[in-house]
Amino acid sequence: MVVRLLFAFLLLLSSHGLAADPPVRVGVLAYRGEEHAAAVWEPTIRYLGDHFPGRGAEMVALDLAGMDAAVQNRTVDLILTNTGNYVDLEARYGVTRIATLQSGRSSGNAIGSAIIVRADRRDLKDLRDLRGRTLMAIDPDAFGGFQVAWGELLDAGVDPFRDLKDLRFSGFPVDRVAFAVRDGTADAGVLRACVLEELAAEGRIDPADFRVLGSRSAPDFACAHSTDLYPDWPLARLAGTPEELAKQAVVALFQMPPDHPAAKAGGYQGWAVPRDYQPVHALFRSLRIGPYRSLRDVSLVDLARENWHWLALAALALLWWTIHSLRVEHLIKVRTAELRAANRDLVREMAERRRAEENARERQREIDHVARLSILGEMASNLAHELNQPLGAIANYARGCTRRLEAGTGRPAELADATRAIADQADRAAHIIARIRNFVRKRAPQIEPVDINDAVRAAAALCADRARSAGIAVTLDLADGLPRVAADAVQIEQVVLNLMKNGLDAMEGCLPADGITVRTGLDGEGRVRVMVADRGHGLSAEARERLFDPFFTTKPEGMGLGLSICRTILESHGGHLWAADNPGGGVEIRFVLPAVQENPTHES
Amino acid sequence: MSHDAESSAPPRTVYVVDDDPAMRHSLGWLIGSLGLEVQGFASAEEFLRALKPDRPGCLVTDVRMPGMSGLELQDTLARAGSLLSVVVVTGHADVPMAVRALRAGAVDFIEKPFNDQLLLDRVHEALEKSRRAWEAAERKRAVRALIGRLTPRERQVAALVVAGKPNKVIAAEINLSMKTVEVHRHNVMDKLEVASVADLTRLLLEAE
């Protein structure tokens, strides 16, 4: 009595003490409603609760969505759910099976499907014959039932969602499917394996009316089935459920006797160690459902269907972007082509310009050359006369010698003088020819230090005969010790000759009072200055203005290039040419050239 | 008497005027081969300064020279009554120039380059011409010297005699007696060393 009291007290105490702990919550999938679930599973939960001393257990009936939320929010400690749902939750939340239900039908896997047809349908021999037929199942989410049959049909090459004439889901009770097949409203039906046998046992159907398509046999499994077999429902713990609690639950379930009222209510024989659920994963992967839903094309289509406006917007944006990109690309191509064309043009233009410049230089050389030829041409008779002087003298000396020798009157000393004179005149002639040839030779300009007085003397020599024959005196007033200029000697000679010739032309027909004066010197800036002054007619206002224009001339036979070329030559030497009136009448043409900076010690 | 010496041997000098020394000298050398005396001058002015215009001889001159040209020199000499004969030598010949030179009495107008024989022939010709001119001049001077011996009255009578008038008419014209006229006429013939009226006439014409 005391002991019993004490035990009761302790029990009370402990239960009171443990009552502070909430009861273990067991989530149960109520696929046919809470009432059905309570009827089937309440005893089992109670049995478990008896094994959590002072704590007890509480059943929480959940539909699929509720089960998902409960696991995610950890409002339950253990879950009892169907094979398919378990695999889904295992993959997504890490729940772990701790025991698998052991049905009375098999000691091994017991979940499969039977695909039934009317027994008299001779046209339906195997699963492939279901193509284009009507198929009825109970629920698309039922694992034992539609989902397993679905996998089998796919293996047979029949996609129930695509290849069938119609796929219908009847919902519970399960006999609807059997009746529909029997009555011919569906060509075939999907039932969980053993349902057909159960219905027959209950006397609700006549098994002779039905035939199971693709029926196969499995050891230890009595029911007709068309598919592989998969493990039954598991009891699973959440990731955060204490190990001790899980262990207690497993120990309790394993110890449940087969005839326990809970087992009877649940329609099972007991619980066994958890089975391998990998084949379920494989099936789901091939069906692309459960944790592998993301693999389903259909889900993408669904997603698209749900978010069509976003997709449409995205498509529009994509379209716009594509058009924009194409347009930009096109523009870039066009611009690039334009740029390339412009670049090509530029390169060609540069080449042309270089060619043109080279041509211009060549032409300038030609013009220089022609101008020199032209000057000499205008003075040709004078030059011929100048050359005739030594030649005539040579002839005279030679004939004088001949006559003396023939007459025997020549004294050797005077004959020697004459032949020496002949040689001198031959030198003189050669000198004149060399001067002319040097002047007219076509050549590239050679810039070197030039004594301006040498150039003036050479020019004066070329026009000396002309001046002499016209009776015009030429006065050279050349300063000593001038610095040299960096110039082409022939070109400078050409300039001076041109200016002197212009002076001679200007004085043609005038009374030669003073003649032409050429004066060299230094200007205030240290440049070498040359002045050619004549006492001719002077310049008209128009002539003064256009003096340096090409092809402007006051002479009937002139080309009008002389001064223009002189100016070009001088400017190319960094010099400058201009005209002024000679205070005594006539014209003064002056030019300056920069002096060469020479090191005086060099010269000494 | 220097006058007589000149008349006996008229100088055969050739004067060369050319501004080109080589040409001038070589011309001298060539002409000198004839054994003639040659003098060279660099300009017309120099030549005029050096020479009396009545000297006979040959002038060989260039045309174009600084200062006075050859043609101007020729003109100047002609105006001065020079006895020189001129040969013009030029490298710049043109027709008007040649015409002008020849009209002014040049022996020839020779263009350079020239044939030496042609030049020497022309020089000879010129010397000959000059000699003749000199001789003519000499003779005129001699005649004038004879005429200078006549008295004014004798000159008057001589002029009338040459005009072909008889003594009687002359006497009447100058109001003298026939006798006096005859004396003057005899004196004239005597002084001028002529024997006939025809000779007298030719002599007086030479002095014109």
Side-chain angles (χ1 to χ4, degrees):
Chain A
M1 182 68 192
V2 173
V3 171
R4 198 178 280 177
L5 270 174
L6 186 67
F7 182 76
F9 176 76
L10 282 174
L11 193 72
L12 194 72
L13 197 72
S14 69
S15 74
H16 181 81
L18 287 172
D21 289 334
V24 174
R25 290 167 63 84
V26 183
V28 176
L29 180 66
Y31 61 97
R32 285 182 68 181
E34 260 182 68
E35 218 168 300
H36 175 263
V40 174
W41 296 112
E42 188 68 51
T44 302
I45 304 305
R46 252 201 323 276
Y47 170 82
L48 272 178
D50 291 344
H51 289 79
F52 300 131
R55 210 176 153 184
E58 184 180 57
M59 177 181 129
V60 184
L62 300 162
D63 60 9
L64 283 170
M67 179 66 76
D68 202 278
V71 172
Q72 190 179 0
N73 299 325
R74 300 177 183 187
T75 56
V76 292
D77 299 303
L78 299 169
I79 55 168
L80 183 57
T81 186
N82 77 12
T83 305
N85 187 223
Y86 163 70
V87 168
D88 194 6
L89 296 174
E90 179 191 55
R92 284 160 61 204
Y93 301 117
V95 303
T96 312
R97 62 199 183 276
I98 52 179
T100 295
L101 192 70
Q102 188 100 49
S103 79
R105 295 181 288 271
S106 165
S107 55
N109 289 340
I111 300 295
S113 295
I115 298 172
I116 57 169
V117 295
R118 262 169 67 138
D120 56 357
R121 289 294 293 270
R122 297 276 145 229
D123 56 329
L124 304 174
K125 290 190 194 68
D126 60 30
L127 295 179
R128 288 192 299 274
D129 294 330
L130 292 179
R131 198 183 292 271
R133 307 294 177 174
T134 305
L135 180 67
M136 182 178 274
I138 295 161
D139 191 298
D141 290 329
F143 177 72
F146 179 69
Q147 288 179 344
V148 173
W150 180 7
E152 204 63 37
L153 282 167
L154 278 182
D155 283 348
V158 180
D159 184 335
F161 291 98
R162 208 179 59 205
D163 300 330
L164 298 177
K165 183 184 176 194
D166 195 10
L167 174 62
R168 274 180 278 168
F169 294 100
S170 63
F172 289 94
V174 297
D175 45 16
R176 285 185 190 171
V177 171
F179 294 155
V181 171
R182 186 191 65 193
D183 299 342
T185 54
D187 295 312
V190 178
L191 292 173
R192 182 169 55 78
C194 296
V195 167
L196 190 67
E197 285 82 356
E198 285 165 13
L199 288 174
E202 287 169 22
R204 302 178 65 145
I205 57 157
D206 180 357
D209 290 339
F210 300 95
R211 183 157 49 83
V212 174
L213 280 183
S215 178
R216 54 178 84 176
S217 63
D220 276 352
F221 194 61
C223 304
H225 58 283
S226 312
T227 68
D228 289 336
L229 295 177
Y230 296 91
D232 213 328
W233 284 37
L235 180 75
R237 53 178 273 214
L238 271 59
T241 303
E243 189 67 33
E244 190 57 30
L245 183 66
K247 207 164 139 189
Q248 282 176 344
V250 170
V251 169
L253 289 176
F254 285 0
Q255 290 173 349
M256 182 190 280
D259 54 348
H260 194 274
K264 283 210 172 103
Y268 57 84
Q269 275 199 314
W271 294 85
V273 291
R275 302 197 73 91
D276 179 15
Y277 283 74
Q278 214 49 54
V280 183
H281 280 285
L283 174 67
F284 277 15
R285 200 177 294 125
S286 72
L287 296 182
R288 295 172 178 177
I289 58 174
Y292 307 103
R293 198 177 289 126
S294 59
L295 297 174
R296 276 179 69 187
D297 297 340
V298 184
S299 75
L300 276 178
V301 172
D302 284 349
L303 203 69
R305 201 173 290 146
E306 276 170 34
N307 298 298
W308 67 269
H309 44 284
W310 292 113
L311 275 177
L313 216 61
L316 270 177
L318 193 70
L319 188 69
W320 176 84
W321 184 80
T322 305
I323 291 171
H324 178 72
S325 304
L326 284 175
R327 189 168 159 272
V328 165
E329 202 168 315
H330 173 71
L331 284 177
I332 287 172
K333 243 179 241 167
V334 168
R335 295 280 149 78
T336 308
E338 284 173 0
L339 215 62
R340 204 169 291 147
N343 209 33
R344 245 190 336 262
D345 285 352
L346 206 66
V347 167
R348 204 182 51 231
E349 260 173 45
M350 279 164 67
E352 269 172 18
R353 190 168 306 164
R354 254 200 311 277
R355 214 160 33 237
E357 280 169 3
E358 185 48 48
N359 282 348
R361 263 195 299 278
E362 179 58 34
R363 207 165 304 133
Q364 187 59 46
R365 274 203 289 274
E366 290 280 352
I367 288 172
D368 278 3
H369 181 229
V370 167
R372 289 200 294 272
L373 281 179
S374 158
I375 294 173
L376 277 191
E378 286 173 43
M379 299 175 64
S381 69
N382 299 100
L383 290 169
H385 180 243
E386 192 183 356
L387 201 53
N388 266 337
Q389 296 288 97
L391 292 179
I394 287 169
N396 293 341
Y397 283 126
R399 283 166 182 150
C401 288
T402 307
R403 285 173 183 280
R404 280 174 176 76
L405 289 168
E406 282 172 354
T409 57
R411 292 194 309 274
E414 91 188 338
L415 287 172
D417 283 345
T419 50
R420 236 191 317 280
I422 288 175
D424 288 348
Q425 293 307 302
D427 286 349
R428 178 181 167 196
H431 212 74
I432 293 167
I433 289 171
R435 205 166 60 212
I436 293 170
R437 197 178 50 192
N438 192 42
F439 185 73
V440 297
R441 198 174 56 205
K442 190 174 170 188
R443 51 194 265 293
Q446 283 177 326
I447 305 296
E448 54 201 0
V450 170
D451 182 342
I452 196 78
N453 291 344
D454 286 348
V456 170
R457 281 188 206 102
L462 280 174
C463 66
D465 182 76
R466 162 86 190 276
R468 195 161 52 96
S469 63
I472 298 167
V474 173
T475 308
L476 301 185
D477 180 4
L478 308 179
D480 289 329
L482 286 178
R484 294 194 285 181
V485 293
D488 179 81
V490 172
Q491 286 191 331
I492 298 309
E493 189 185 323
Q494 176 182 355
V495 169
V496 176
L497 175 61
N498 215 312
L499 300 181
M500 291 181 74
K501 195 184 127 321
N502 283 350
L504 289 171
D505 289 345
M507 288 181 68
E508 197 82 62
C510 289
L511 275 177
D514 292 347
I516 290 174
T517 304
V518 183
R519 185 170 296 136
T520 59
L522 274 178
D523 76 351
E525 296 167 42
R527 293 176 298 185
V528 173
R529 186 190 59 201
V530 178
M531 181 203 76
V532 178
D534 67 57
R535 291 304 204 105
H537 306 287
L539 291 171
S540 70
E542 192 213 0
R544 176 184 302 282
E545 199 158 302
R546 302 187 51 200
L547 198 56
F548 299 103
D549 289 358
F551 302 111
F552 172 78
T553 180
T554 57
K555 300 171 213 163
E557 282 129 27
M559 282 217 301
L561 283 173
L563 281 178
S564 152
I565 288 169
C566 288
R567 174 167 271 190
T568 306
I569 288 173
L570 288 170
E571 283 173 359
S572 80
H573 283 87
H576 182 51
L577 174 73
W578 73 98
D581 283 326
N582 189 340
V587 180
E588 279 182 12
I589 307 282
R590 295 163 184 260
F591 66 85
V592 289
L593 282 171
V596 178
Q597 300 300 317
E598 277 173 316
N599 190 348
T601 58
H602 248 320
E603 280 189 83
S604 64
Chain B
M1 209 172 124
S2 70
H3 181 89
D4 289 337
E6 272 180 14
S7 68
S8 62
R12 291 165 60 79
T13 306
V14 180
Y15 306 98
V16 176
V17 179
D18 197 312
D19 62 324
D20 186 285
M23 183 53 73
R24 184 171 69 238
H25 189 250
S26 69
L27 273 174
W29 170 257
L30 176 64
I31 295 166
S33 69
L34 296 177
L36 301 170
E37 186 197 341
V38 183
Q39 292 183 25
F41 301 90
S43 70
E45 290 85 351
E46 189 184 323
F47 173 69
L48 287 175
R49 273 198 300 276
L51 197 85
K52 282 181 245 151
D54 60 346
R55 292 288 292 263
C58 172
L59 169 64
V60 176
T61 181
D62 192 9
V63 177
R64 290 194 168 170
M65 293 178 289
M68 184 183 284
S69 78
L71 296 184
E72 287 165 348
L73 173 61
Q74 194 189 1
D75 287 346
T76 306
L77 290 172
R79 275 199 302 276
S82 165
L83 295 176
L84 290 170
S85 285
V86 179
V87 174
V88 176
V89 176
T90 182
H92 301 273
D94 60 38
V95 173
M97 197 189 280
V99 169
R100 179 179 161 192
L102 294 172
R103 275 195 181 151
V107 172
D108 204 352
F109 184 92
I110 297 177
E111 203 177 337
K112 288 190 236 177
F114 47 78
N115 180 303
D116 58 330
Q117 192 57 55
L118 176 73
L119 175 76
L120 295 177
D121 288 349
R122 291 295 177 269
V123 169
H124 268 304
E125 239 171 76
L127 285 172
E128 189 55 32
K129 184 183 170 192
S130 180
R131 190 186 59 79
R132 282 199 303 274
W134 179 81
E135 283 169 359
E138 285 300 302
R139 180 162 178 74
K140 191 188 268 182
R141 192 164 53 209
V143 172
R144 281 187 179 163
L146 291 175
I147 291 169
R149 297 193 202 154
L150 304 179
T151 63
R153 186 57 86 184
E154 284 168 354
R155 275 180 222 174
Q156 204 173 14
V157 171
L160 291 168
V161 168
V162 169
K165 294 184 175 171
N167 288 349
K168 195 172 67 185
V169 177
I170 295 170
E173 272 189 26
I174 58 175
N175 231 358
L176 287 177
S177 67
M178 272 284 283
K179 183 86 177 174
T180 312
V181 169
E182 274 171 15
V183 171
H184 283 315
R185 184 173 176 150
H186 177 80
N187 285 346
V188 166
M189 301 296 266
D190 200 40
K191 281 182 180 172
L192 297 184
E193 300 165 3
V194 291
S196 66
V197 174
D199 286 345
L200 174 69
T201 305
R202 191 166 53 244
L203 191 73
L204 289 181
L205 275 176
E206 275 176 16
E208 280 297 309

